[in-house]
Amino acid sequence: MLNRFERVLVATNRWVLILLLLVMSCIVFANVVLRYTTGDSIVWAEEVARHMMIWVTFLGAGLVLRFGGHVAIDNFHHAVGEQGARVVRAIVALGLGVFFLVMMYFSILYVWATRFQTTAATDIPIAWIYVAMPVGFLLLFVHLLFIVRGYIGHGNYITSDEMDAESAASL
């Protein structure tokens, strides 16, 4: 059951990212073409593309963590031996988990504080854009839970035929 949830979560996460990137690219491309061919641009295009970029950043961070695509310095792990490396990785994983949960809490407070503000061009509530933060930190925490055992024990991340650290980081 947990494996199925994990597969569905990863697949859904990836497809949402793909769709957001596709729509964002189409909006930006259309805006550039219109600007250079007609001299006018779509009023809301830059704002919507920026908001989609925020969502892509927060939704994609969990997948990048899952496949080991974030910047890391692992020299210390190699210098302290196998048992020491496990302790270091456990401290890192615990620190990340606490950080994700604390950031999720404070980002929920931030979303609540911005609930009455709206965007300039589209008049969308700012809270709908900033809700990407708690969702993203929740996804980071969930992905961390899926990889933590292999990471602490062996320093491994999730491997996939379709995705590796380089591909995940390029999202």
Side-chain angles (χ1 to χ4, degrees):
M1 181 72 170
L2 194 57
N3 286 337
R4 187 172 193 279
F5 171 73
E6 183 179 7
R7 282 193 314 270
V8 169
L9 175 72
V10 170
T12 304
N13 197 176
R14 286 175 61 189
W15 278 106
V16 168
L17 285 171
I18 290 167
L19 290 174
L20 281 172
L21 284 168
L22 177 68
V23 171
M24 185 176 61
S25 299
C26 290
I27 290 171
V28 170
F29 179 76
N31 196 32
V32 169
V33 168
L34 283 172
R35 187 179 306 138
Y36 286 105
T37 58
T38 66
D40 291 327
S41 63
I42 305 169
V43 175
W44 49 266
E46 291 179 41
E47 183 177 285
V48 170
R50 185 178 332 113
H51 298 158
M52 293 175 103
M53 181 67 76
I54 292 168
W55 273 93
V56 165
T57 300
F58 282 100
L59 293 180
L63 282 180
V64 175
L65 174 74
R66 171 183 198 79
F67 294 108
H70 286 290
V71 174
I73 301 171
D74 60 357
N75 291 347
F76 189 60
H77 295 230
H78 300 300
V80 294
E82 187 60 35
Q83 188 61 29
R86 282 192 192 110
V87 171
V88 169
R89 289 191 296 260
I91 291 169
V92 167
L94 180 65
L96 284 173
V98 169
F99 176 76
F100 296 153
L101 292 176
V102 167
M103 289 303 294
M104 187 173 61
Y105 171 74
F106 282 106
S107 62
I108 289 169
L109 295 179
Y110 190 72
V111 168
W112 184 254
T114 62
R115 70 190 181 278
F116 298 118
Q117 297 175 2
T118 60
T119 61
T122 57
D123 206 34
I124 297 171
I126 293 279
W128 285 106
I129 294 134
Y130 288 159
V131 81
M133 291 185 299
V135 169
F137 284 115
L138 176 64
L139 284 173
L140 276 161
F141 186 73
V142 169
H143 285 295
L144 178 67
L145 291 178
F146 282 126
I147 69 163
V148 74
R149 188 177 205 177
Y151 174 70
I152 291 173
H154 307 289
N156 296 337
Y157 295 96
I158 301 293
T159 56
S160 171
D161 295 335
E162 302 169 350
M163 183 83 58
D164 60 358
E166 296 289 325
S167 302
S170 69
L171 282 178

